[in-house]
Amino acid sequence: MAGTEDFFDHIEKGYATKGDYINMGAAMLNGEAVKNAFVKIPLKTLNRHGLIAGATGTGKTKTLQVLAENLSDKGIPVMLMDLKGDLSGLAQPSPGHAKIDERHEKIGFPFEASSFPVEILSLSEQDGVKLRATVSEFGPVLLSRILDLSETQSGIVSVVFKYCDDQKMPLLDLKDFKKVLQYATGTGKAEFTKEYGRISTSSTGAILRKIIELEQQGAELFFGEKSFDVNDLTRIDDEGRGYINILRLTDIQDRPKLFSTFMLSLLAEIYDTFPEQGDSDKPELILFIDEAHLIFKEASKALLDQIESIVKLIRSKGIGLYFVTQNPTDVPNDVLSQLGLKVQHALRAFTARDRKAIKLTAENYPESEYYDTKEVLTSLGIGEALISALDEKGRPTPLAATLLRAPMSRMDVLTKKELDEVVNSSSLVKKYGEIIDRESAYEILNEKIETAEKLAEKEKNKPAARKTTKRASTRQNPVIKVLTSATFIRGVLGVLKKVMR
């Protein structure tokens, strides 16, 4: 068919690339895959960030799995946020299936099963590499934004950090930070007032309540030592494949504050640590943030500004961020505008709000003479998606409804035994397994308060000194008082006068 030939040429020209790439599948026309019309994503543009969106059950997680596998194969390390617990299968090869072979026959290349080097990470008490960071590493600005503090309260946080720096007191965990806050308006009030100005107890009380809220979501497990070194995310195995670091979050789905705290800490640490790279042939690291709405849903304006700033700046470090969510409208427009690759699975139009969201989503994609975007968005099948990327010169590629390739690894969770094997064979689990609780602000201040209390008690019990000198009496003798009175003197003079007469 002439229409099919024109379409094939349109896709082949639009997705041509001189450098290395990832093959996502074959473009579709009129609901059917056009064999060998490959939709290719240049490695060079993968640090321009991306979005994977679509309704529940349309294949978002499998698309994430395909991208992670192919990135690993190209020697690019990956970090995944696994909130549903269904990504650990990357460590085992796919058992294969007749339907997978049929899909790949339509696309135009054979299916190959493979496993990948996997590292299991944990923010909670689950098994895996423990991710921790100290309060000091957060810094006053980021900590204030995470706690959503006012300007006055943020100033107090800065004073606390300055005091601890001046006094050489390590701020390692939330216990340390709370202790300094309490000291500032208690035993150490005079010291703080003299050096840094008066600190209001109402303000420190408000900050403490925010910290307790964070602790209730399990943050005490995250703050502390040994701090995680972000360079350990960029490891390559002996075969030249990048490690796929899977952060298991199945037990903190209802704790978005902890999730967003970790994400901002991680991104800030990566930005501060990694060197400037600019545009290169491939990225240093790709991060996939599943259920991205958890970050944005309850974020304050200050927090959103911080995220937007990091998304804009971190690209130059060779880092790509990929947000996975149900609807593109879950992602703020200022962040959405920074995303170069968009993989849009089907959306469902059950309500007026759904239809409005579909209309807005369609407007985010390039116009195409081959598709009615709004119609395609509601008719895509499982494992099919609209794709728009950037070519090697940074220009948008043609919009392509794509029959996506199948994952090479297992599309299922690991068994308990398989998961234990992955964890037990990890060198990072041993490296970060030990909890360190060295002397920090909490212990130093407790010792300081105890010393002050002992001195005060000693001073209180000290006996008063006896007085050895008598005080001279100022009271006059009554006889002298009479003899020297004016009345008595006048009387004596009068008697003398009569005698002389």
Side-chain angles (χ1 to χ4, degrees):
M1 284 172 40
T4 303
E5 291 176 4
D6 290 343
F7 178 74
F8 181 88
D9 292 340
H10 172 68
I11 294 297
E12 190 174 51
K13 183 180 178 182
Y15 285 90
T17 173
K18 294 179 181 178
D20 207 352
Y21 59 87
I22 289 175
N23 190 342
M24 295 296 292
M28 299 189 301
L29 181 65
N30 300 321
E32 295 293 329
V34 177
K35 194 170 185 177
N36 297 327
F38 297 134
V39 176
K40 299 178 287 188
I41 314 299
L43 297 187
K44 188 175 182 178
T45 63
L46 284 171
N47 67 332
R48 302 295 181 94
H49 313 315
L51 173 74
I52 302 172
T56 300
T58 54
K60 297 190 300 297
T61 302
K62 302 303 170 255
T63 299
L64 186 160
Q65 194 170 341
V66 165
L67 279 168
E69 293 172 342
N70 283 275
L71 287 164
S72 176
D73 255 352
K74 302 294 182 181
I76 302 170
V78 175
M79 183 173 183
L80 310 175
M81 312 296 157
D82 187 10
L83 276 92
K84 297 186 288 290
D86 50 3
L87 289 171
S88 59
L90 281 155
Q92 293 291 330
S94 168
H97 196 278
K99 288 187 176 180
I100 293 177
D101 294 332
E102 182 185 343
R103 174 180 285 258
H104 275 257
E105 174 63 27
K106 291 178 181 178
I107 292 171
F109 63 89
F111 173 75
E112 293 181 8
S114 178
S115 61
F116 296 86
V118 164
E119 194 71 67
I120 303 296
L121 314 178
S122 174
L123 269 179
S124 63
E125 294 178 345
Q126 291 187 111
D127 292 337
V129 180
K130 301 301 181 186
L131 300 183
R132 299 186 190 91
T134 66
V135 173
S136 291
E137 287 169 338
F138 262 66
V141 175
L142 186 56
L143 186 62
S144 296
R145 289 185 176 179
I146 286 166
L147 296 174
D148 193 19
L149 302 180
S150 67
E151 187 176 342
T152 301
Q153 292 161 355
S154 299
I156 291 172
V157 172
S158 297
V159 166
V160 167
F161 272 78
K162 179 68 168 63
Y163 173 77
C164 290
D165 285 343
D166 292 345
Q167 302 295 319
K168 303 294 187 293
M169 289 183 186
L171 274 177
L172 303 181
D173 50 28
L174 294 177
K175 180 179 64 177
D176 291 329
F177 189 71
K178 289 193 298 182
K179 191 67 181 180
V180 182
L181 276 177
Q182 291 162 349
Y183 179 76
T185 52
T187 309
K189 184 176 181 179
E191 181 185 352
F192 265 82
T193 303
K194 181 182 177 183
E195 295 293 331
Y196 309 100
R198 183 178 172 274
I199 292 178
S200 165
T201 52
S202 60
S203 294
T204 56
I207 298 170
L208 283 168
R209 287 191 292 274
K210 295 277 188 177
I211 294 170
I212 291 168
E213 180 187 341
L214 196 59
E215 283 180 323
Q216 287 174 339
Q217 296 203 14
E220 72 278 0
L221 294 171
F222 171 62
F223 285 99
E225 290 185 311
K226 184 175 187 179
S227 294
F228 184 77
D229 182 356
V230 291
N231 288 301
D232 282 332
L233 295 174
T234 61
R235 294 184 306 145
I236 307 293
D237 75 353
D238 296 337
E239 297 176 23
R241 299 178 301 172
Y243 264 86
I244 299 176
N245 303 281
I246 302 175
L247 175 58
R248 299 176 71 205
L249 299 168
T250 53
D251 58 343
I252 66 167
Q253 291 184 35
D254 58 344
R255 292 179 275 177
K257 197 80 172 177
L258 177 59
F259 181 52
S260 59
T261 298
F262 163 73
M263 277 310 307
L264 277 177
S265 166
L266 178 71
L267 295 176
E269 185 70 14
I270 287 173
Y271 181 74
D272 290 339
T273 304
F274 283 38
E276 284 288 335
Q277 181 176 309
D279 290 325
S280 61
D281 291 336
K282 65 179 185 180
E284 286 292 308
L285 176 68
I286 298 292
L287 290 91
F288 290 90
I289 304 172
D290 200 3
E291 303 295 334
H293 65 278
L294 291 178
I295 291 182
F296 302 114
K297 187 177 179 182
E298 297 180 12
S300 64
K301 179 67 168 62
L303 206 56
L304 288 175
D305 290 344
Q306 183 79 11
I307 295 169
E308 183 188 342
S309 177
I310 288 175
V311 169
K312 287 179 180 177
L313 297 172
I314 207 168
R315 178 177 67 83
S316 65
K317 305 281 187 170
I319 310 299
L321 301 177
Y322 286 74
F323 299 96
V324 185
T325 189
Q326 291 193 14
N327 200 304
T329 55
D330 294 335
V331 181
N333 287 331
D334 289 336
V335 174
L336 197 62
S337 65
Q338 301 293 321
L339 310 182
L341 173 63
K342 295 185 178 71
V343 181
Q344 178 64 60
H345 288 266
L347 293 174
R348 306 304 180 209
F350 296 127
T351 66
R353 185 178 178 182
D354 291 339
R355 289 189 290 274
K356 185 178 180 181
I358 289 169
K359 183 180 178 182
L360 289 171
T361 301
E363 291 172 356
N364 287 324
Y365 291 90
E367 292 184 359
S368 173
E369 61 182 289
Y370 296 97
Y371 304 115
D372 179 344
T373 308
K374 291 194 293 292
E375 184 180 328
V376 172
L377 279 172
T378 57
S379 61
L380 289 167
I382 296 172
E384 299 173 357
L386 279 173
I387 292 180
S388 174
L390 297 176
D391 66 15
E392 290 176 314
K393 293 184 178 180
R395 300 169 300 193
T397 59
L399 185 63
T402 308
L403 179 64
L404 297 166
R405 62 186 294 176
M408 294 179 275
S409 57
R410 204 163 82 194
M411 291 186 279
D412 197 1
V413 298
L414 297 181
T415 64
K416 178 70 166 61
K417 183 180 178 182
E418 290 169 334
L419 191 63
D420 288 343
E421 287 175 359
V422 173
V423 172
N424 293 334
S425 64
S426 167
S427 60
L428 293 187
V429 168
K430 299 176 182 68
K431 180 179 178 180
Y432 296 105
E434 182 185 359
I435 298 175
I436 301 171
D437 190 15
R438 62 188 172 97
E439 187 178 65
S440 54
Y442 181 83
E443 289 79 13
I444 293 170
L445 284 178
N446 270 341
E447 188 177 336
K448 195 172 182 178
I449 292 168
E450 188 178 339
T451 302
E453 287 175 348
K454 283 180 179 177
L455 285 172
E457 188 67 24
K458 189 176 179 181
E459 192 67 30
K460 181 181 176 183
N461 295 333
K462 192 176 180 182
R466 290 186 177 180
K467 295 177 182 177
T468 56
T469 54
K470 280 189 175 182
R471 196 169 110 185
S473 178
T474 56
R475 188 175 176 185
Q476 201 171 22
N477 189 299
V479 176
I480 296 173
K481 188 176 181 181
V482 171
L483 293 175
T484 57
S485 67
T487 305
F488 178 77
I489 292 171
R490 279 197 302 271
V492 170
L493 288 175
V495 171
L496 290 172
K497 193 176 182 182
K498 286 180 181 179
V499 170
M500 289 176 68
R501 283 179 183 172

